[in-house]
Amino acid sequence: MSYKELKREVFEANLELQRRNLVIYTFGNVSQVDRDKGVVAIKPSGVSYDDMKPEDIVIVDLDNTIVEGTMRPSSDTKTHTHLYRAFESIGGVTHTHSTYATAWAQAKQSIPCLGTTHADYVHGEITCTRELTDEQVNGDYEEETGVQITDAYVDRDPKAAPMVIVAGHAPFTWGKDAAQSVYHAALLEEIARMAYLTRTLDPNTAPLKQAVLDKHYLRKHGKDAYYGQSK
Ligand SMILES: O=C(CO)[C@@H](O)[C@H](O)COP(=O)(O)O
């Protein structure tokens, strides 16, 4: 894929964030990796979705050095590239501040699997990371945010749970490409909203039985399916 084609795909994926009401103003960002070229295309920092153009998308390498582009890459670039280096199966990353998923992140609570809608897409809870330590916050903050995410996946397949919420911050999702990472961000927001409303109706709602969770997840994705369909 040429840089121009990669930028176009990432540009369209970023616009989809706004179309799905997952962001306002300049919140959030989407990227996609080209592993053959060793580069990542990502949203420029601080640019509103209404003003953004395909040529504004910035190309960086996996060490965060700008390869092509005149604008500053997203402030979350180091988190994106950390995930690409750690999770070799992923091709796209999305970060939003969508309302319900961010509320669970601010409450520092993982989202339990309370129903089959959740189970169709995530094989278990949607994990909330540990809070960053003061040392991490005062260090390379964006890189350390990525570390908190990958630390939560030491014993977990990122394909089986392509969405996470960062304590005190907001969600990150991923997928086989930028478009699918946005699709997972939209699914996360809906699942987070359902879970919030469920627990509002009954704070003691028990998680879905494991047999039902397994049935729903595995019939859709199988054990080795690569994320399943994305539309
Ligand atoms: O997480 C944050 C801010 O907390 C970011 O997602 C901003 O909401 C968008 O930053 P840029 O991508 O425009 O630098």
Side-chain angles (χ1 to χ4, degrees):
M1 183 183 296
S2 69
Y3 281 2
K4 184 176 181 181
E5 290 165 332
L6 180 61
K7 287 183 174 185
R8 166 58 67 174
E9 281 203 19
V10 171
F11 169 73
E12 290 298 338
N14 275 279
L15 294 193
E16 183 70 1
L17 286 187
Q18 192 174 45
R19 288 189 201 111
R20 296 290 172 183
N21 299 312
L22 296 172
V23 295
I24 58 173
Y25 300 124
T26 65
F27 289 15
N29 34 72
V30 184
S31 70
Q32 182 168 307
V33 67
D34 181 326
R35 293 190 184 276
D36 294 334
K37 293 185 168 65
V39 297
V40 172
I42 192 163
K43 181 200 109 176
S45 185
V47 178
S48 81
Y49 295 90
D50 295 333
D51 301 331
M52 203 182 304
K53 301 183 296 299
E55 54 268 32
D56 295 336
I57 300 297
V58 184
I59 304 275
V60 299
D61 67 18
L62 286 166
D63 294 321
N64 306 297
T65 303
I66 295 177
V67 172
E68 183 181 283
T70 57
M71 293 185 159
R72 189 162 56 89
S74 168
S75 55
D76 296 308
T77 297
K78 287 188 174 183
T79 307
H80 287 239
T81 53
H82 178 90
L83 295 177
Y84 288 124
R85 294 194 304 271
F87 296 161
E88 293 178 2
S89 66
I90 70 175
V93 174
T94 287
H95 170 52
T96 80
H97 287 224
S98 62
T99 305
Y100 283 88
T102 301
W104 284 90
Q106 292 180 166
K108 305 179 184 62
Q109 292 183 29
S110 297
I111 304 174
C113 180
L114 300 177
T116 59
T117 313
H118 179 144
D120 279 342
Y121 299 98
V122 183
H123 200 199
E125 72 169 22
I126 296 168
T127 300
C128 181
T129 69
R130 292 196 310 273
E131 280 191 275
L132 274 73
T133 64
D134 289 351
E135 184 182 2
Q136 286 179 304
V137 171
N138 296 322
D140 194 339
Y141 177 66
E142 291 78 16
E143 183 73 33
E144 292 297 338
T145 298
V147 169
Q148 291 304 75
I149 294 171
T150 50
D151 279 357
Y153 277 73
V154 168
D155 298 320
R156 198 171 193 189
D157 179 355
K159 293 200 297 291
M163 46 190 82
V164 73
I165 51 182
V166 176
H169 187 171
F172 282 82
T173 63
W174 47 85
K176 63 184 178 181
D177 54 22
Q180 193 178 64
S181 70
V182 172
Y183 170 73
H184 288 150
L187 290 174
L188 168 57
E189 179 61 8
E190 187 63 8
I191 291 166
R193 188 170 68 91
M194 289 176 178
Y196 169 80
L197 293 173
T198 302
R199 281 283 167 84
T200 301
L201 287 169
D202 177 1
N204 301 310
T205 308
L208 203 63
K209 288 193 296 185
Q210 189 66 42
V212 180
L213 168 55
D214 290 344
K215 170 63 72 178
H216 272 261
Y217 183 81
L218 296 175
R219 75 177 184 176
K220 196 176 183 70
H221 301 275
K223 286 189 179 301
D224 301 314
Y226 185 79
Y227 294 116
Q229 86 285 6
S230 65
K231 296 294 181 196

